[in-house]
């Protein structure tokens, strides 16, 4: 498979189980009996008294290992499960702090078409009167976190429609949402998910100290977005961690420009990923950057180029 990825990169130049909580669950609680995670032990002493750990204590088929732990109050979230993806929704930021989904290899993609002019539905599961109109005339797109195309291809039409809900979007600059971020979403479905095994994705916003807000409900505008992509197959795990600033746009960027460590994302978000893993494995996955032998880091994030490259490799 790495040979296939290498060929594609050169050409481009460059579950059967259910979540243990019901769909409408809003579950944010402490877990006093567990041992502190690696991220908690590494936190500066001054942060400990004012940064209670929020731990949903739930494993979910959409998320690699377990739900993220919240290490500080501004990272607390309501857990919302959907049939094909899950989100951790912030009642203060008025958007998801994370969205997670799994793309299994070997799935024959559904043929789906993105709905035109589809309004984003309100979500009665959260006590926030957030609507589609909070984004209107704001200058920002309604940026999907769990992507419409990937969810539709893997899970079908109804699943695709379920991504058009206000608890699955963040304010994204149009050039980022429609170009570079869209190219990254295409890479997931056309390249990463073709690798044997399972591809888990968790993504969300990164905020500055005093975010701009939009709409009647004061939706916070992120400074950047992260994406952590995990490929798991037969006991082997590779991680690709990325951060894309709001200012990024265009279709000429490569993956390598945005590579960071999971540790860096945790420090920026206040979320602790992979906390259920043994500490030695968690340390390795979170502290090292993506391996160029495992990921096509020279891949150009252009939807058109990626799809053209895939067609050429398959011929």
């Amino acid at each position: 498979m790495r040979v296939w990825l290498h060929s594609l990169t050169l050409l481009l130049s460059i579950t059967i189980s259910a979540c243990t909580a019901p769909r409408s669950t809003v579950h944010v609680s402490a877990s006093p009996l567990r041992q502190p995670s690696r991220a908690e032990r590494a936190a500066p002493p001054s942060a400990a008294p004012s940064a209670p750990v929020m731990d949903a204590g739930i494993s979910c088929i959409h998320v690699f290992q377990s739900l993220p732990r919240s290490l500080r109050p501004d990272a607390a979230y309501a857990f919302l499960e959907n049939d094909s993806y899950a989100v951790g929704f912030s009642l203060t930021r008025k958007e998801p702090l994370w969205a997670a989904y799994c793309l299994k290899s070997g799935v024959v993609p559904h043929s789906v078409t993105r709905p035109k002019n589809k309004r984003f539905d309100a979500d009665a599961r959260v006590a926030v009167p957030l609507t589609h109109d909070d984004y209107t005339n704001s200058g920002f797109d309604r940026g999907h976190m769990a992507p419409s195309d990937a969810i539709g291809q893997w899970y079908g039409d109804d699943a695709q429609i379920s991504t058009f809900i206000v608890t699955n979007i963040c304010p994204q600059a149009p050039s980022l949402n429609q170009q570079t971020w869209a190219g990254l979403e295409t890479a997931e479905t056309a390249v990463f998910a073709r690798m044997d095994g399972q591809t888990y994705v968790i993504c969300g916003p990164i905020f500055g100290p005093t975010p701009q807000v939009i709409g009647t409900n004061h939706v916070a505008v992120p400074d950047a977005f992260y994406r952590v992509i995990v490929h798991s197959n037969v006991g082997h795990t590779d991680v690709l961690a990325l951060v894309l600033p709001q200012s990024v746009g265009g279709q000429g960027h490569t993956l390598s420009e945005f590579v960071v460590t999971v540790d860096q994302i945790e420090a920026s978000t206040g979320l602790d990923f992979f906390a259920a893993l043994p500490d030695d494995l968690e340390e390795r996955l979170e502290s090292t950057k993506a391996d160029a032998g495992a990921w096509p880091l020279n891949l150009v994030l252009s939807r058109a180029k990626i799809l053209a490259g895939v067609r050429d490799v398959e011929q």
Side-chain angles (χ1 to χ4, degrees), residues 199-250:
T199 300
Y200 292 90
V201 181
I202 189 163
C203 62
I206 296 174
F207 298 98
T210 55
Q212 172 189 351
V213 295
I214 61 171
T216 303
N217 287 292
H218 301 105
V219 181
V221 177
D223 282 358
F225 293 87
Y226 70 87
R227 213 171 189 98
V228 178
I229 304 167
V230 180
H231 178 242
S232 180
N233 185 42
V234 194
H236 184 77
T237 303
D238 291 303
V239 173
L240 174 63
L242 306 164
V243 169
L244 282 68
Q246 282 275 30
S247 58
V248 168

Side-chain angles (χ1 to χ4, degrees), residues 38 261-263 282-289:
R38 191 178 71 86
T261 66
V262 175
D263 278 342
E282 185 185 3
E283 165 73 24
R284 178 177 68 81
L285 294 179
E286 294 188 349
S287 64
T288 56
K289 290 187 176 182

Side-chain angles (χ1 to χ4, degrees), residues 144-301:
H144 279 83
M145 292 296 100
S148 163
D149 287 349
I151 297 300
Q153 288 180 48
W154 257 253
Y155 298 98
D157 290 317
D158 289 344
Q160 182 182 44
I161 293 297
S162 77
T163 68
F164 286 84
I165 193 167
V166 292
T167 48
N168 183 43
I169 56 174
C170 296
Q172 278 191 323
S175 57
L176 172 62
N177 181 46
Q178 298 170 29
Q179 298 173 353
T180 316
W181 192 256
L184 181 54
E185 291 176 342
T186 301
E188 285 176 3
T189 56
V191 181
F192 306 150
R194 290 171 174 253
M195 300 187 287
D196 293 337
Q198 298 185 98
T199 300
Y200 292 90
V201 181
I202 189 163
C203 62
I206 296 174
F207 298 98
T210 55
Q212 172 189 351
V213 295
I214 61 171
T216 303
N217 287 292
H218 301 105
V219 181
V221 177
D223 282 358
F225 293 87
Y226 70 87
R227 213 171 189 98
V228 178
I229 304 167
V230 180
H231 178 242
S232 180
N233 185 42
V234 194
H236 184 77
T237 303
D238 291 303
V239 173
L240 174 63
L242 306 164
V243 169
L244 282 68
Q246 282 275 30
S247 58
V248 168
Q251 301 182 63
H253 296 282
T254 63
L255 275 176
S256 61
E257 297 176 50
F258 308 113
V259 173
V260 297
T261 66
V262 175
D263 278 342
Q264 289 173 282
I265 294 174
E266 289 181 332
S268 298
T269 62
L271 296 171
D272 179 18
F273 305 103
F274 313 154
L277 289 175
D279 278 350
D280 56 345
L281 179 55
E282 185 185 3
E283 165 73 24
R284 178 177 68 81
L285 294 179
E286 294 188 349
S287 64
T288 56
K289 290 187 176 182
D291 178 4
W295 302 94
L297 299 183
N298 290 328
L299 189 70
V300 176
L301 296 177

Side-chain angles (χ1 to χ4, degrees), residues 7-271:
S7 299
L8 176 58
T9 303
L10 291 176
L11 184 61
L12 294 174
S13 311
I14 354 207
T15 303
I16 309 302
S17 63
C19 292
T20 59
R23 174 172 184 161
S24 60
T25 293
V26 176
H27 187 156
V28 183
S29 62
S31 181
L33 299 180
R34 66 175 176 80
Q35 295 298 312
S37 69
R38 191 178 71 86
E40 291 170 83
R41 291 196 299 271
S46 61
S50 60
V53 176
M54 302 299 178
D55 175 15
I58 301 170
S59 61
C60 176
I61 193 173
H62 308 306
V63 185
F64 181 68
Q65 288 294 315
S66 62
L67 303 191
R69 301 187 195 278
S70 302
L71 297 180
R72 58 189 199 221
D74 67 340
Y77 60 79
F79 170 56
L80 305 176
E81 181 216 347
N82 301 285
D83 291 339
S84 52
Y85 67 97
V87 302
F89 185 80
S90 170
L91 298 174
T92 55
R93 303 292 194 187
K94 315 297 173 57
E95 61 204 272
L97 299 183
W98 60 266
Y101 52 97
C102 178
L103 306 177
K104 293 183 178 181
S105 64
V107 170
V108 177
H110 295 262
S111 179
V112 294
T113 302
R114 182 185 176 95
K116 292 184 178 179
N117 303 318
K118 172 74 174 74
R119 287 180 62 87
F120 286 77
D121 294 331
D123 194 333
R125 295 173 294 178
V126 295
V128 178
L130 195 62
T131 73
H132 176 98
D133 295 327
D134 277 295
Y135 287 70
T136 301
N137 298 323
S138 67
F140 291 94
D141 284 358
R142 300 169 184 87
H144 279 83
M145 292 296 100
S148 163
D149 287 349
I151 297 300
Q153 288 180 48
W154 257 253
Y155 298 98
D157 290 317
D158 289 344
Q160 182 182 44
I161 293 297
S162 77
T163 68
F164 286 84
I165 193 167
V166 292
T167 48
N168 183 43
I169 56 174
C170 296
Q172 278 191 323
S175 57
L176 172 62
N177 181 46
Q178 298 170 29
Q179 298 173 353
T180 316
W181 192 256
L184 181 54
E185 291 176 342
T186 301
E188 285 176 3
T189 56
V191 181
F192 306 150
R194 290 171 174 253
M195 300 187 287
D196 293 337
Q198 298 185 98
T199 300
Y200 292 90
V201 181
I202 189 163
C203 62
I206 296 174
F207 298 98
T210 55
Q212 172 189 351
V213 295
I214 61 171
T216 303
N217 287 292
H218 301 105
V219 181
V221 177
D223 282 358
F225 293 87
Y226 70 87
R227 213 171 189 98
V228 178
I229 304 167
V230 180
H231 178 242
S232 180
N233 185 42
V234 194
H236 184 77
T237 303
D238 291 303
V239 173
L240 174 63
L242 306 164
V243 169
L244 282 68
Q246 282 275 30
S247 58
V248 168
Q251 301 182 63
H253 296 282
T254 63
L255 275 176
S256 61
E257 297 176 50
F258 308 113
V259 173
V260 297
T261 66
V262 175
D263 278 342
Q264 289 173 282
I265 294 174
E266 289 181 332
S268 298
T269 62
L271 296 171

